[in-house]
Amino acid sequence: MTPVLRHPPPLKQPIYQRARAPNADELENIPWLHTLDAAERKVAVADLKVVRIATGELLCRVGRPVTYWFGVIEGFLKMNNDSDLGVPIIFTGLPPGGWFGEGTVIKREVYRYNITAVRKSVVAGLSVETFHWLLDRSIPFNRFITQQLNERLGQFIAAREIDRMSDADARVARSLAALFHPVLYPGVGGLLRITQQELGYLIGLSRQRVNEALNALQEHGLIGIEYGGVRVLDLEGLRRHVQRG
DNA sequence: ACATTAAATTCGA
DNA sequence: TCGAATTTAATGT
C-alpha cells in the first residue's frame, strides 16, 4: 500500500523576513541578558530578533553561513547533523533557555547542524557582529559562553554513554536528566514540556517503550507524568538511575 | 493497534 | 466573548 503523504508544507516566508523585536516577556527568558550592564544590554536588546517557528520547520541547515547565535525562548528544538550520511550522529533536544551555535559563531564558520522545531517555538537570534562585540567587552558574557561550551562538552560525553546503554529505562532517565541540565537550560524549571512521542524520537525508542519507562521512573518517585510533559522530581536520582530494580 | 482522556478549536448565540 | 460541541493530540495498555 502506498503511504499517503501529507500535503507539502506551504511555502514559508523566509525566517529572517518574519523576525520582529522581542517583547518584555521574551527578554525575561534570555538568561545571559541579565548578566550584562545597562549599556551592553541596550545594545543587545536592540539587536535581538525573535521569530515564531512552526512544527517541523528548519531554523538553520548544515553548510549555511552563520548569521545568528540562536536561543530557544519557547517551545522545543532538536539539533542533529544527519544531512549527508543516513545516520544521525548526535541528536540533542533544546528546551527553552538553551542557546546554541556559539562554537560556529566564534569561528565564523558554517552551521554544522540542522536545527528544526519539534513543535511550534519562539526563537531569538543575536547577530554575529553583536555576539563578537559582547565577547570583546563583557566578562559576564564570556563567562556564560565558557560555561555553555563546557556544559556542551559534558553533554556530548553523556550522549555517548547513553547510546551505549542497553536498558531502556536507564536511557530515558539519563536523557531526561540531560535535558534538564540546570546550567545549560535554566529555563526549564521543573516541568519539561515534551510528549512521549517526542521523547521516543529523541532517545531512539518507540513511544510505547518510552511510556513504560516513564511509568517505571514514576514508580521510583523520580518524575511525575503529566499530559504533554514530564515533571522532574529528583534530578540527581535520574542521573544516577542506571538499571531497573 | 485500539480505547480513553486531555486539550485545542470551532461555532452559535 | 462565552461555553458547548467537535476535532485533534497524547496517553495507557
Side-chain angles (χ1 to χ4, degrees):
Chain A
M1 194 178 284
T2 56
V4 179
L5 297 176
R6 296 184 51 186
H7 283 102
L11 203 59
K12 293 260 165 45
Q13 213 183 352
I15 283 170
Y16 66 90
Q17 283 181 17
R18 281 186 278 141
R20 55 174 171 78
N23 63 34
D25 234 27
E26 290 158 351
L27 291 178
E28 234 359 82
N29 285 319
I30 300 177
W32 50 266
L33 207 52
H34 309 296
T35 71
L36 303 179
D37 70 33
E40 292 161 354
R41 192 177 314 127
K42 201 175 159 194
V43 171
V45 168
D47 183 70
L48 276 164
K49 291 279 194 301
V50 155
V51 71
R52 300 196 69 91
I53 311 278
T55 304
E57 199 174 351
L58 204 59
L59 177 63
C60 64
R61 194 190 296 274
V62 170
R64 303 297 281 275
V66 169
T67 43
Y68 287 102
W69 182 51
F70 291 115
V72 184
I73 303 274
E74 204 185 295
F76 200 81
L77 309 183
K78 68 179 187 199
M79 172 195 281
N80 68 311
N81 68 344
D82 65 351
S83 70
D84 28 20
L85 310 161
V87 185
I89 295 171
I90 189 77
F91 197 31
T92 313
L94 295 160
W99 284 73
F100 52 94
E102 62 282 331
T104 35
V105 171
I106 288 168
K107 289 180 281 183
R108 295 180 187 268
E109 287 178 341
V110 298
Y111 289 114
R112 289 153 64 198
Y113 307 100
N114 292 315
I115 309 285
T116 51
V118 172
R119 62 164 163 273
K120 70 175 184 179
S121 307
V122 178
V123 175
L126 188 75
S127 75
V128 181
E129 290 72 28
T130 307
F131 178 91
H132 277 101
W133 185 83
L134 285 172
L135 205 60
D136 284 344
R137 80 200 320 259
S138 167
I139 287 175
F141 188 77
N142 275 271
R143 217 173 266 136
F144 181 86
I145 299 300
T146 304
Q147 183 178 263
Q148 192 90 174
L149 286 169
N150 190 37
E151 291 301 329
R152 181 101 59 218
L153 180 60
Q155 292 252 95
F156 275 80
I157 292 166
R160 292 207 52 162
E161 280 177 17
I162 291 170
D163 271 349
R164 287 172 163 274
M165 294 192 298
S166 51
D167 182 65
D169 289 17
R171 290 180 57 161
V172 172
R174 297 290 293 270
S175 303
L176 281 175
L179 290 178
F180 255 90
H181 206 297
V183 180
L184 197 50
Y185 304 124
V188 176
L191 178 69
L192 180 63
R193 285 286 301 182
I194 185 170
T195 67
Q196 298 176 7
Q197 178 75 77
E198 288 165 357
L199 267 179
Y201 195 28
L202 215 58
I203 300 168
L205 295 171
S206 70
R207 183 183 68 74
Q208 284 89 338
R209 191 61 190 82
V210 169
N211 180 260
E212 274 188 51
L214 289 179
N215 276 291
L217 295 175
Q218 184 169 238
E219 285 298 307
H220 289 240
L222 300 176
I223 61 167
I225 300 173
E226 302 192 11
Y227 189 87
V230 172
R231 186 169 295 282
V232 169
L233 306 173
D234 180 358
L235 183 56
E236 261 320 293
L238 276 180
R239 211 168 272 147
R240 301 261 166 265
H241 187 94
V242 172
Q243 72 172 53
R244 224 187 310 204

